[in-house]
Amino acid sequence: DDPDRPECRNLLSIYQAITDQTQEAVERECGDLTWGRFKPLLADALIEHLEPMQSRYAEIMQDQAYLESVLKDGACAATEIAERTVTDVKKYMGFALPSDA
């Protein structure tokens, strides 16, 4: 823990978070490692941590029908919100007719 090197604490915190270890456990495991030996350990842990997300992403990207349905549902929801917002803006700015409110 070197206060003059906050990047060290940052890398160790990332390692702690993705390996679900306590700070003390990380310090015991990595305390004697050089940065040259620690960084590949961190890279391997990151790869392992991200693998399920990468697999799910690849799976979703292969399902064109699912992607299109999500995009369509999102567009419909956004349109509803936008229409309400525009109606409110017109009303508050005095551009709406009484029948529009």
Side-chain angles (χ1 to χ4, degrees), residues 1-93:
D1 217 5
D2 186 348
D4 295 329
R5 304 231 10 234
E7 72 278 10
C8 299
R9 174 55 39 210
N10 186 41
L11 292 175
L12 289 167
S13 295
I14 291 169
Y15 186 75
Q16 177 185 344
I18 63 173
T19 60
D20 199 29
Q21 295 186 61
T22 65
Q23 182 177 348
E24 294 77 21
V26 170
E27 288 173 1
R28 278 193 304 275
E29 179 183 354
C30 304
D32 294 333
L33 296 179
T34 64
W35 287 109
R37 291 187 58 211
F38 173 71
K39 287 179 182 178
L41 182 67
L42 175 61
D44 290 342
L46 280 167
I47 290 167
E48 182 179 332
H49 181 75
L50 294 174
E51 193 281 327
M53 290 174 262
Q54 291 172 329
S55 294
R56 180 68 178 133
Y57 172 81
E59 183 182 315
I60 289 170
M61 292 304 291
Q62 294 298 313
D63 190 346
Q64 201 66 18
Y66 172 73
L67 286 174
E68 289 175 11
S69 75
V70 168
L71 290 172
K72 183 180 176 187
D73 292 347
C76 289
T79 299
E80 282 182 32
I81 293 167
E83 287 174 352
R84 285 195 309 266
T85 301
V86 169
T87 299
D88 289 345
V89 168
K90 285 181 178 180
K91 183 173 95 179
Y92 294 122
M93 293 184 71

